[in-house]
Amino acid sequence: MRRFYLLFLSLLLAVAATADPQYEEHLHLEPLPQGLLLASFNFKSNATLQSFEQQHFKYIPRSLGQILQHARTKELHLRFSSGRWDAESWGARPWDGKKEGGTGVEVWAWIEADTGEEASLRWITLNHALSGLFCASLNFIDSTRTTRPVHTYEPVGDHSNTSLSNLHLLHGTLPREVVCTENLTPFLKLLPCKGKAGISSLLNGHKLFDASWQSMSIDVRPVCPESRSGCIVEMEQTVDMVLDIERSKRPHDNPIPRPAPADQLICDTSKSYSSSEACFPIDMSSMQSWSLSDVFGRPIKGSCLANDIRGDRSESVCISVPYEHQVFSSQGSVERKDPSSNHRCYVLPENDAFEMALPQQESQAVLPRPSPPLYASRSFTGHGQERGGVQSLLTNPSPNAAVSFTYFETLPWFMKPYLHTLKAQIAASPSQSQEEIIKSIYYRPALDRQRGTQLELQISVPPASTVRLTYDFEKAILRYTEYPPDANRGFDVAPAVIRLHPDPANPSSKAVYLRTTSLLLSLPTPDFSMPYNVIILTSTVIALAFGSIYNLLVRRFVGADEVESFSLAKVKARIKGRFAVIKDRFSMKKEKKTQ
Amino acid sequence: MTIEAPTILALRKDPRLLKIPPYLSALCIVIGIVWLFLLPLNEYSRHTYISENALLPGQVHTYFGGSEQNVFNAYKHEVQSLLGKDPEVIAAQLSNILRSVGLKAATQKYHYEAAGNVHSGENAYAVLHAPRGDATEAIVLVAAWTNMDGEPNQSGVALALTLARYFKRWSLWSKDIIVLITSDSKAGPQAWVDAYHDEHSPDSADPLQLKSGALQGVVVVDNALDHRFESLHIVYDGINGQLPNLDLFNSAVAIASGQMGIGVSLQRMWKHGDSYRERLQTMLRGMVSQGLGHASGPHSSFIPYHVDAITLQAVGHGWQDEMAMGRCVESTFRSLNNLLEHFHQSFFFYLLMQANRFVSIGTYLPSAMLVAVNFTIMAIALWIQSGRPPKRRAGSATVDMKESEVEVVRKEGMVALVPTADLAIVERQLFLPVALVVAFHFLGAVPLYVFNNTQQEALAQTLVFFAYANIVLPTLLAIIISGFTTLSSHRLILLQCFSLLLLGMFLATLATLNFSLAFLIGLLAAPLSFVGIAMSADNGDAPPELGTLRKIVSNVLLHLLSPPVVVLAVCKIFGADTGATLAEAAFGWKVSGLRTQVVVCCVWWPAWLIGAVIVSPGL
């Protein structure tokens, strides 16, 4: 009995020791101006380092965990993004830009290896395995698309100093990758509830990929909190999207935005010409009512892992609307309103569906989002097929504080920048010297067909000014087989990554990440029909020449009267003669035998 | 007696050989012209077809209509309330309207000065970010505030604003849509597209605050009518005769006439019955427009940047309303949206005879090449002649043969008697002809500068003065040059030879870029290969003598076809104001990058001058 008691107590203790939530999920909704909605889904899974290394996978999926172990990856960040974040209208990026990547696929990882070559090999293994897991073309991240940034990325996990010295950071991007449902499905399969319950049941390929901007991210990192003795491995999956409410509300079987009937048009009646024939439309998109099933197509089906989470169940769904706005929620959910922060959070019912609806409000007010610390946009200058230029406009909106950041660009090898033409000027007063703007340059030149250019600039922009960063480049002509099937579209240049340094004076400030859009570089294309032309022409020439010379050498002309005429009787006679000879030979043999 | 051996080597020295090239040249010119007249026939022209399969023109349902008419009417009232106001006020209000639709809008100021005229204004534009796109490509919808005829483009601008609002609701765009409303049809789009590619001069145009990706296609909407229209007139000529991809034109035709049932016309041929005569007329009008190379619409400025652009203009009285035009534009944009790659499949060099008949460069190029080759043939003939020793005069050939003029030549055991004159090596004196040709061609920069930098009021008189100067200039130059050195027939032959060589070479090269300009200049300069020293054996090395009648005829012909006289005559025939035409050319030079004047002033006029000097009475 005592043994049983001891066993039971130790079990309880063990359970209590692991009573920290091993899985939590959170949905944050925030209406944006012009009838848009920012939805952030966040899923966190924990596992102790011990159980991870012993391959006891519970909430961290085995498929991903084993890949990371095989490729000796200590920290992985994988991003799938599409669309574009409109900083002027929507403000600062969610999560300070830490959970988003450039258009397409972006992956960076800290890989443990002794040498750089070993790290590259493991990196390739990692990418190929991830490519299979996520149905994305990550296997195209080869040495031409991989860089080792120096200043741009810092490990967010806790690594011991000895392991840090063996860790290599490798970063790869695929700007051309189109993100779609085949990437969402494996992403959802990594979750414990697999998209069937909890907030992940809202994620639907039709709505997610109709969004104006969406980003799916996976972060795996080791964390060693002070409260515990051992380290844990934390996997965080995030889906951010900006949905257009009016577009999402269109029924699935009739998504065409037909012009509204004339009586449903909302007109500006203050205009002098306003009548039944002329209607100056007013944009009322920000004042419409919406609900979760309108926007996502279905309500939330229960909550995920409610039985496994002990103690108070955490609030899973939060929405940021002004305090006076009305929000209706379905039965069985518990609401908590915070008067100071305009947050309203709900605990999901265990088994029932959760629905939330916002009716049309009197005031159009949308809570202002924090303003971004920097605006960045990048574009090509010049035209033609030989050379061009890149221009980046970096605007510091703050009136009194300068902003300093790292500007990281990775260019393909066939885009050859001339670094001596790199110029940074204040757009309004071009006379200010360049040394004050570009503090340092880290430049790794390209090697043809092996690696691209890596450029990291430390830039400081004075308050309330715009810096215009320009440099010229030359385009290379590729070999005939190096062009993709849509050669005349052009080649994608990866977005520039901007990392704002944390303010040294403020201990709680963190690094903020920004990304520009990708660029389309049009290269001169050869005439792809030329190999065919050459083959046809040379074959014809050879055939004619060979035929003629062969005839000249071999053909013999004889007079017509010298030619033996052909008669069937003669041929028959000859054949008969041959047969007779053979017969004679046989008969002679027979005679010899009989003799 | 000279011994004439009937072998090819002796044929080389045959004086009759040099009689052929003039006829050959004339034959080339005739064939070149006749070739052009054969092109409209069914056997030599082709039906148009869509090469880029991704375009799928006319395959989408268009939903523009219904309550969009009410919105259009409201925007048209807004546009009418802005008529006659300052460009800044117009641009500000238009960008406000675009912002109310939900787009990001900005304005751009520009200021150009050419021929004393000031072209300034402010463009308003807005960028519709494709909701699921990646901002790498863009298509542009342009509506100019005043169209090419100077009329206010009311319905066009209102349609552009309505379409901007309509397009915003769709999420299927793969490329950003830029809506651009320019102050005028020529300087405005040029300023905008220059600034978009960052190739503007900072004191002429402001930089753009909003940019998107690479431009893939441009559609310009022009509807200055206040009644329903009958058909769409498509304008496609660009600066310097560059044309957009034929696929864009074919898509617009397929959509307008196929899907929407609206007739399509081109080159201002309002009634086209598909007869030979109308096809020929369309083709010749297209050639004239291409040869002049001026801006024929707001779309022309985009084409030099390798961005394909067309203008859709509503013409006639009919029953098609603005919604029909809006549906055409919507369908065209849906086709442009389908593009996976930049336009590259179809032809960039073509001549259109009708909305669905064309000839491609492989078929029409030989005609301009033949016209250019005729100069080269004459140049080669002149070179050969300059190497021949001067022959005796016919009268004194055989009788006075003396012993000392005949040489004995021994070679390989054979003996021959050859006249000394035949063995004499003729040294060609190259320096003066080459120097003169080069000097005259550089002299062409003077009229180029003068005509590009004169005020418009003085331009007509300058041209007339230039025409008068041209009458006396060749004689004057001939007298001045013969004052320094003698212009022997040998030197004149070489001068003409180099001038024709240069002309032939240049025109042959130009034919690949701007076929019509090369053809027209070749035709107008054709007499240059026939004036000058006659290709005959009867030349002495005495001072050159042309037959007096031949000289008079040559002079008259040349002066009738001198460049300024041709310009004046053409302006008179087409009823255009000379000053306005030349001011237009100066505007093209300063703003659009027009290079026709370079060909006229620095290639044709110097060649003409050299020809006129050779036949001038001053020699």
Side-chain angles (χ1 to χ4, degrees):
Chain A
M1 263 322 238
R2 237 200 213 174
R3 267 203 213 131
F4 270 121
Y5 271 124
L6 279 174
L7 214 58
F8 188 63
L9 263 175
S10 57
L11 269 173
L12 262 180
L13 277 171
V15 162
T18 56
D20 299 323
Q22 295 189 316
Y23 173 74
E24 54 185 14
E25 58 179 30
H26 190 79
L27 165 63
H28 187 90
L29 295 167
E30 198 172 334
L32 294 176
Q34 290 185 351
L36 297 163
L37 176 69
L38 171 65
S40 277
F41 295 76
N42 187 256
F43 310 92
K44 266 200 204 145
S45 310
N46 283 341
T48 59
L49 195 59
Q50 202 186 13
S51 62
F52 185 78
E53 279 165 5
Q54 287 171 359
Q55 310 232 343
H56 297 311
F57 293 106
K58 191 172 179 197
Y59 294 124
I60 296 187
R62 178 183 294 270
S63 51
L64 189 61
Q66 283 189 328
I67 291 175
L68 295 177
Q69 282 172 353
H70 184 65
R72 303 279 201 95
T73 307
K74 295 298 170 207
E75 196 173 322
L76 170 74
H77 301 274
L78 178 60
R79 307 274 183 267
F80 299 90
S81 304
S82 76
R84 170 201 358 211
W85 179 267
D86 185 359
E88 283 101 7
S89 312
W90 305 340
R93 288 155 194 259
W95 310 98
D96 281 333
K98 289 202 261 294
K99 300 253 183 285
E100 73 167 41
T103 318
V105 174
E106 192 175 340
V107 57
W108 66 98
W110 275 267
I111 296 180
E112 188 182 40
D114 297 321
T115 61
E117 290 77 28
E118 210 181 346
S120 300
L121 286 173
R122 288 186 180 152
W123 168 252
I124 291 176
T125 311
L126 174 70
N127 278 327
H128 281 246
L130 287 176
S131 156
L133 182 62
F134 289 103
C135 299
S137 316
L138 287 163
N139 51 325
F140 282 111
I141 297 184
D142 54 2
S143 63
T144 60
R145 292 200 176 91
T146 306
T147 48
R148 290 158 194 253
V150 169
H151 301 297
T152 316
Y153 294 101
E154 301 272 337
V156 276
D158 301 321
H159 304 272
S160 65
N161 283 341
T162 46
S163 61
L164 260 181
S165 55
N166 266 356
L167 286 180
H168 300 257
L169 166 63
L170 288 130
H171 175 273
T173 52
L174 274 182
R176 185 76 180 100
E177 181 73 10
V178 176
V179 182
C180 59
T181 315
E182 66 179 10
N183 308 117
L184 175 66
T185 310
F187 183 94
L188 289 179
K189 293 275 181 282
L190 294 178
L191 296 170
C193 296
K194 304 218 187 310
K196 303 275 193 290
I199 57 175
S200 55
S201 60
L202 288 180
L203 288 171
N204 169 11
H206 292 287
K207 302 292 184 187
L208 175 60
F209 296 106
D210 201 29
S212 303
W213 174 81
Q214 62 91 9
S215 177
M216 303 193 298
S217 74
I218 298 172
D219 297 275
V220 181
R221 62 184 181 130
V223 174
C224 303
E226 293 89 30
S227 55
R228 306 176 52 123
S229 52
C231 292
I232 56 171
V233 173
E234 186 184 81
M235 174 164 131
E236 196 173 347
Q237 286 174 261
T238 313
V239 178
D240 294 320
M241 53 177 157
V242 173
L243 291 164
D244 187 321
I245 296 177
E246 193 205 331
R247 211 160 62 220
S248 305
K249 276 163 74 172
R250 286 182 206 144
H252 184 59
D253 51 355
N254 185 14
I256 295 170
R258 292 191 170 84
D263 48 354
Q264 285 180 19
L265 270 184
I266 302 169
C267 305
D268 184 351
T269 44
S270 65
K271 299 278 180 181
S272 56
Y273 50 78
S274 170
S275 69
S276 62
E277 295 295 318
C279 168
F280 189 95
I282 301 182
D283 185 20
M284 299 290 281
S285 53
S286 47
M287 278 186 44
Q288 52 192 320
S289 65
W290 59 272
S291 68
L292 278 185
S293 15
D294 279 342
V295 170
F296 291 102
R298 54 186 96 145
I300 298 181
K301 295 197 193 70
S303 81
C304 184
L305 298 181
N307 297 329
D308 278 17
I309 296 172
R310 306 198 171 264
D312 291 324
R313 285 201 306 202
S314 53
E315 290 116 3
S316 297
V317 179
C318 286
I319 179 166
S320 295
V321 284
Y323 190 71
E324 47 285 348
H325 279 201
Q326 280 184 310
V327 177
F328 300 126
S329 62
S330 59
Q331 275 185 330
S333 63
V334 178
E335 179 183 356
R336 183 178 64 83
K337 249 176 159 179
D338 187 357
S340 57
S341 68
N342 284 319
H343 260 51
R344 221 172 292 210
C345 292
Y346 299 86
V347 175
L348 292 177
E350 261 186 50
N351 297 317
D352 303 322
F354 174 78
E355 173 66 90
M356 186 166 69
L358 271 80
Q360 206 160 7
Q361 319 282 351
E362 294 91 31
S363 68
Q364 279 195 45
V366 167
L367 285 178
R369 297 198 79 245
S371 132
L374 184 75
Y375 295 99
S377 70
R378 188 177 67 153
S379 59
F380 275 138
T381 60
H383 77 289
Q385 293 188 321
E386 272 180 73
R387 58 186 70 93
V390 173
Q391 174 188 276
S392 288
L393 290 173
L394 307 156
T395 307
N396 180 3
S398 152
N400 43 21
V403 63
S404 70
F405 52 89
T406 306
Y407 178 87
F408 167 58
E409 259 192 356
T410 154
L411 305 173
W413 64 265
F414 39 82
M415 183 173 156
K416 299 170 196 284
Y418 288 113
L419 217 57
H420 72 280
T421 57
L422 180 69
K423 268 202 299 266
Q425 285 169 344
I426 309 274
S429 61
S431 55
Q432 186 160 355
S433 75
Q434 187 166 316
E435 287 81 42
E436 298 164 15
I437 303 173
I438 301 184
K439 306 281 188 211
S440 76
I441 302 180
Y442 178 89
Y443 172 61
R444 193 157 184 244
L447 286 174
D448 274 2
R449 300 183 175 84
Q450 278 178 44
R451 62 166 201 243
T453 310
Q454 178 181 342
L455 190 62
E456 284 178 82
L457 307 170
Q458 305 279 5
I459 298 180
S460 156
V461 179
S465 47
T466 302
V467 162
R468 192 167 163 257
L469 189 70
T470 52
Y471 59 88
D472 297 334
F473 65 89
E474 212 175 59
K475 302 181 188 179
I477 300 182
L478 303 181
R479 291 182 187 150
Y480 168 74
T481 46
E482 286 171 348
Y483 286 94
D486 54 350
N488 282 285
R489 179 181 186 269
F491 293 79
D492 288 85
V493 177
V497 182
I498 295 174
R499 174 179 185 246
L500 281 86
H501 304 304
D503 189 5
N506 189 352
S508 65
S509 74
K510 297 214 187 102
V512 175
Y513 284 88
L514 281 177
R515 281 169 178 82
T516 63
T517 52
S518 51
L519 295 171
L520 195 61
L521 175 72
S522 68
L523 289 185
T525 54
D527 182 358
F528 291 105
S529 65
M530 275 319 287
Y532 160 79
N533 292 339
V534 167
I535 292 171
I536 294 290
L537 205 62
T538 49
S539 305
T540 309
V541 167
I542 294 291
L544 290 175
F546 176 75
S548 312
I549 293 177
Y550 182 76
N551 271 335
L552 282 174
L553 291 175
V554 165
R555 194 162 49 190
R556 185 171 55 92
F557 287 103
V558 292
D561 49 353
E562 298 168 35
V563 176
E564 286 175 6
S565 59
F566 175 81
S567 72
L568 199 57
K570 266 199 187 163
V571 173
K572 271 191 192 164
R574 270 173 108 188
I575 292 174
K576 267 194 185 153
R578 286 284 150 86
F579 268 125
V581 164
I582 294 169
K583 227 196 217 169
D584 286 341
R585 223 178 263 166
F586 271 122
S587 55
M588 270 171 46
K589 274 201 187 141
K590 255 193 190 168
E591 279 173 12
K592 274 196 183 162
K593 265 193 187 165
T594 52
Q595 273 179 0
Chain B
M1 282 284 184
T2 50
I3 302 168
E4 290 179 348
T7 60
I8 295 179
L9 288 171
L11 206 60
R12 231 178 63 194
K13 298 211 182 222
D14 191 343
R16 292 175 304 189
L17 189 67
L18 278 182
K19 283 211 178 123
I20 302 179
Y23 296 105
L24 197 59
S25 289
L27 188 67
C28 281
I29 296 178
V30 167
I31 294 180
I33 298 175
V34 169
W35 192 293
L36 208 63
F37 281 86
L38 287 180
L39 292 177
L41 293 173
N42 274 342
E43 291 84 1
Y44 298 101
S45 59
R46 299 159 70 172
H47 252 288
T48 56
Y49 55 96
I50 301 281
S51 293
E52 172 72 64
N53 290 328
L55 280 170
L56 299 172
Q59 306 291 322
V60 291
H61 278 294
T62 48
Y63 298 93
F64 187 70
S67 62
E68 302 289 341
Q69 174 83 57
N70 299 14
V71 177
F72 172 83
N73 291 339
Y75 286 148
K76 193 162 175 185
H77 281 285
E78 291 281 338
V79 166
Q80 280 164 346
S81 70
L82 287 172
L83 284 176
K85 298 231 169 102
D86 276 343
E88 289 84 20
V89 174
I90 297 176
Q93 177 62 7
L94 287 173
S95 44
N96 278 343
I97 296 178
L98 288 165
R99 268 187 216 110
S100 78
V101 165
L103 306 178
K104 287 204 205 179
T107 61
Q108 181 210 15
K109 282 202 178 58
Y110 64 89
H111 181 92
Y112 291 105
E113 280 183 33
N117 297 334
V118 168
H119 303 263
S120 71
E122 196 163 345
N123 299 330
Y125 64 103
V127 179
L128 195 170
H129 291 306
R132 290 150 62 196
D134 54 359
T136 48
E137 296 164 303
I139 39 185
V140 192
L141 175 64
V142 182
W145 188 258
T146 47
N147 69 358
M148 288 297 285
D149 305 323
E151 296 155 10
N153 182 15
Q154 296 176 36
S155 296
V157 172
L159 186 63
L161 295 172
T162 319
L163 280 173
R165 180 178 167 273
Y166 175 71
F167 286 156
K168 174 113 178 48
R169 308 221 309 275
W170 290 80
S171 67
L172 47 65
W173 302 115
S174 66
K175 309 172 184 7
D176 291 350
I177 297 180
I178 303 179
V179 179
L180 169 66
I181 299 171
T182 57
S183 279
D184 67 355
S185 283
K186 285 190 243 176
Q190 186 71 44
W192 190 83
V193 72
D194 280 346
Y196 195 87
H197 293 94
D198 227 49
E199 296 194 353
H200 59 286
S201 60
D203 42 348
S204 299
D206 283 350
L208 293 184
Q209 296 160 7
L210 293 174
K211 276 198 209 181
S212 182
L215 299 180
Q216 304 287 320
V218 176
V219 175
V220 181
V221 171
D222 178 355
N223 186 354
L225 309 170
D226 54 357
H227 51 79
R228 293 181 173 214
F229 65 94
E230 182 192 359
S231 62
L232 281 178
H233 176 233
I234 304 186
V235 191
Y236 56 91
D237 307 288
I239 304 277
N240 288 326
Q242 200 174 351
L243 300 175
N245 196 299
L246 190 56
D247 264 341
L248 182 57
F249 181 87
N250 292 344
S251 304
V253 169
I255 289 166
S257 52
Q259 187 190 11
M260 303 290 163
I262 305 177
V264 166
S265 54
L266 60 148
Q267 300 296 343
R268 290 181 314 281
M269 299 281 294
W270 312 126
K271 290 273 172 282
H272 201 300
D274 207 16
S275 70
Y276 171 83
R277 192 156 167 226
E278 279 151 344
R279 285 189 194 173
L280 183 68
Q281 197 176 2
T282 312
M283 188 180 79
L284 291 176
R285 280 194 188 179
M287 278 179 63
V288 165
S289 181
Q290 193 184 14
L292 289 176
H294 63 132
S296 55
H299 65 285
S300 305
S301 317
F302 289 90
I303 297 180
Y305 285 94
H306 200 53
V307 177
D308 303 290
I310 51 170
T311 296
L312 300 175
Q313 193 183 18
V315 293
H317 283 261
W319 63 83
Q320 309 283 359
D321 67 344
E322 301 93 358
M323 295 292 113
M325 193 166 186
R327 279 192 291 274
C328 281
V329 177
E330 179 192 355
S331 196
T332 313
F333 266 68
R334 290 289 296 272
S335 285
L336 285 175
N337 188 43
N338 285 347
L339 277 179
L340 302 163
E341 311 175 65
H342 209 91
F343 275 111
H344 69 284
Q345 293 273 23
S346 188
F347 299 96
F348 287 100
F349 297 98
Y350 50 89
L351 286 176
L352 281 167
M353 278 152 223
Q354 205 217 335
N356 60 6
R357 275 218 105 82
F358 79 107
V359 285
S360 70
I361 187 168
T363 317
Y364 68 65
L365 193 61
S367 86
M369 283 297 178
L370 284 171
V371 172
V373 141
N374 101 76
F375 296 116
T376 316
I377 292 174
M378 284 305 291
I380 295 173
L382 284 168
W383 177 261
I384 293 175
Q385 185 178 20
S386 72
R388 293 250 176 114
K391 290 280 181 201
R392 302 236 130 227
R393 292 194 165 261
S396 59
T398 51
V399 182
D400 308 351
M401 197 72 72
K402 296 199 177 67
E403 279 281 339
S404 57
E405 293 175 9
V406 179
E407 251 186 57
V408 177
V409 173
R410 292 170 208 279
K411 192 171 173 179
E412 290 174 1
M414 293 184 287
V415 178
L417 287 170
V418 181
T420 323
D422 275 354
L423 287 177
I425 298 172
V426 176
E427 289 278 344
R428 290 185 174 103
Q429 297 146 12
L430 293 178
F431 175 73
L432 185 70
V434 170
L436 279 179
V437 166
V438 169
F440 280 157
H441 276 276
F442 275 109
L443 195 64
V446 170
L448 184 69
Y449 180 79
V450 164
F451 282 110
N452 282 337
N453 290 307
T454 322
Q455 311 291 320
Q456 183 173 350
E457 303 84 35
L459 270 173
Q461 289 153 349
T462 316
L463 184 64
V464 171
F465 171 73
F466 188 57
Y468 283 133
N470 255 352
I471 297 176
V472 295
L473 193 61
T475 319
L476 212 62
L477 282 172
I479 294 174
I480 292 174
I481 296 170
S482 14
F484 285 107
T485 55
T486 47
L487 279 175
S488 60
S489 72
H490 179 80
R491 282 190 173 143
L492 286 178
I493 292 175
L494 279 175
L495 184 65
Q496 195 182 11
C497 164
F498 288 130
S499 163
L500 289 181
L501 190 68
L502 205 60
L503 190 64
M505 215 164 58
F506 190 87
L507 286 180
T509 317
L510 185 65
T512 59
L513 293 172
N514 191 342
F515 160 81
S516 315
L517 185 61
F519 187 80
L520 290 172
I521 301 272
L523 274 190
L524 291 168
L528 287 176
S529 44
F530 302 109
V531 304
I533 310 293
M535 294 279 118
S536 70
D538 308 336
N539 272 333
D541 53 355
E545 259 182 46
L546 295 173
T548 331
L549 180 65
R550 195 191 152 97
K551 206 164 176 183
I552 292 173
V553 167
S554 307
N555 261 309
V556 166
L557 190 62
L558 271 188
H559 283 283
L560 274 181
L561 285 179
S562 77
V565 171
V566 166
V567 172
L568 282 168
V570 162
C571 286
K572 195 86 181 254
I573 293 174
F574 286 103
D577 177 31
T578 321
T581 314
L582 289 174
E584 183 80 30
F587 172 84
W589 171 265
K590 284 257 157 67
V591 176
S592 315
L594 184 67
R595 298 288 174 247
T596 312
Q597 308 84 312
V598 175
V599 175
V600 169
C601 289
C602 297
V603 174
W604 180 24
W605 181 69
W608 177 88
L609 198 60
I610 291 173
V613 163
I614 289 171
V615 298
S616 71
L619 287 177

